[in-house]
Short mmCIF file of all heavy atoms in Angstrom, two decimals:
data_model
loop_
_atom_site.label_atom_id
_atom_site.label_comp_id
_atom_site.label_asym_id
_atom_site.label_seq_id
_atom_site.Cartn_x
_atom_site.Cartn_y
_atom_site.Cartn_z
N ALA A 1188 -26.11 83.54 197.81
CA ALA A 1188 -25.93 84.14 199.10
C ALA A 1188 -27.19 84.82 199.61
O ALA A 1188 -27.49 84.77 200.81
CB ALA A 1188 -24.79 85.17 199.06
N LEU A 1189 -27.97 85.40 198.72
CA LEU A 1189 -29.17 86.13 199.12
C LEU A 1189 -30.36 85.23 199.44
O LEU A 1189 -31.20 85.54 200.25
CB LEU A 1189 -29.57 87.17 198.06
CG LEU A 1189 -28.50 88.26 197.80
CD1 LEU A 1189 -29.00 89.15 196.69
CD2 LEU A 1189 -28.19 89.04 199.06
N THR A 1190 -30.40 84.08 198.77
CA THR A 1190 -31.58 83.16 198.91
C THR A 1190 -31.80 82.70 200.35
O THR A 1190 -32.93 82.80 200.81
CB THR A 1190 -31.45 81.97 197.95
OG1 THR A 1190 -31.40 82.48 196.62
CG2 THR A 1190 -32.58 80.99 198.11
N PRO A 1191 -30.80 82.22 201.09
CA PRO A 1191 -31.08 81.79 202.45
C PRO A 1191 -31.51 82.94 203.36
O PRO A 1191 -32.34 82.72 204.28
CB PRO A 1191 -29.78 81.13 202.92
CG PRO A 1191 -28.74 81.53 201.98
CD PRO A 1191 -29.42 81.94 200.70
N ILE A 1192 -31.01 84.15 203.12
CA ILE A 1192 -31.42 85.26 203.95
C ILE A 1192 -32.91 85.49 203.73
O ILE A 1192 -33.67 85.63 204.71
CB ILE A 1192 -30.60 86.54 203.57
CG1 ILE A 1192 -29.15 86.33 203.88
CG2 ILE A 1192 -31.17 87.75 204.28
CD1 ILE A 1192 -28.20 87.42 203.32
N SER A 1193 -33.33 85.54 202.49
CA SER A 1193 -34.73 85.72 202.15
C SER A 1193 -35.59 84.58 202.70
O SER A 1193 -36.67 84.81 203.25
CB SER A 1193 -34.89 85.85 200.63
OG SER A 1193 -36.24 85.98 200.28
N ASN A 1194 -35.13 83.35 202.55
CA ASN A 1194 -35.88 82.17 203.00
C ASN A 1194 -36.10 82.15 204.52
O ASN A 1194 -37.04 81.52 205.00
CB ASN A 1194 -35.16 80.88 202.55
CG ASN A 1194 -35.30 80.62 201.08
OD1 ASN A 1194 -36.08 81.24 200.40
ND2 ASN A 1194 -34.46 79.73 200.55
N MET A 1195 -35.23 82.84 205.25
CA MET A 1195 -35.42 82.91 206.70
C MET A 1195 -36.34 84.06 207.10
O MET A 1195 -36.54 84.29 208.27
CB MET A 1195 -34.02 83.11 207.39
CG MET A 1195 -33.16 81.89 207.35
SD MET A 1195 -31.64 82.23 208.23
CE MET A 1195 -30.52 81.17 207.34
N GLY A 1196 -36.88 84.75 206.12
CA GLY A 1196 -37.83 85.78 206.41
C GLY A 1196 -37.21 87.12 206.76
O GLY A 1196 -37.85 87.99 207.34
N VAL A 1197 -35.93 87.27 206.46
CA VAL A 1197 -35.21 88.52 206.77
C VAL A 1197 -35.29 89.40 205.51
O VAL A 1197 -34.95 88.96 204.42
CB VAL A 1197 -33.77 88.21 207.16
CG1 VAL A 1197 -32.98 89.51 207.40
CG2 VAL A 1197 -33.71 87.32 208.39
N ASN A 1198 -35.72 90.63 205.72
CA ASN A 1198 -35.89 91.56 204.61
C ASN A 1198 -34.53 92.11 204.18
O ASN A 1198 -33.75 92.55 205.00
CB ASN A 1198 -36.80 92.72 205.03
CG ASN A 1198 -37.28 93.52 203.85
OD1 ASN A 1198 -37.27 93.06 202.71
ND2 ASN A 1198 -37.72 94.73 204.12
N ILE A 1199 -34.26 92.10 202.87
CA ILE A 1199 -33.05 92.65 202.29
C ILE A 1199 -33.35 94.04 201.80
O ILE A 1199 -34.18 94.22 200.89
CB ILE A 1199 -32.53 91.75 201.18
CG1 ILE A 1199 -32.21 90.34 201.70
CG2 ILE A 1199 -31.29 92.38 200.50
CD1 ILE A 1199 -31.93 89.29 200.61
#
Side-chain angles (χ1 to χ4, degrees):
L1189 298 177
T1190 299
I1192 297 170
S1193 177
N1194 288 346
M1195 288 182 209
V1197 177
N1198 195 20
I1199 300 170

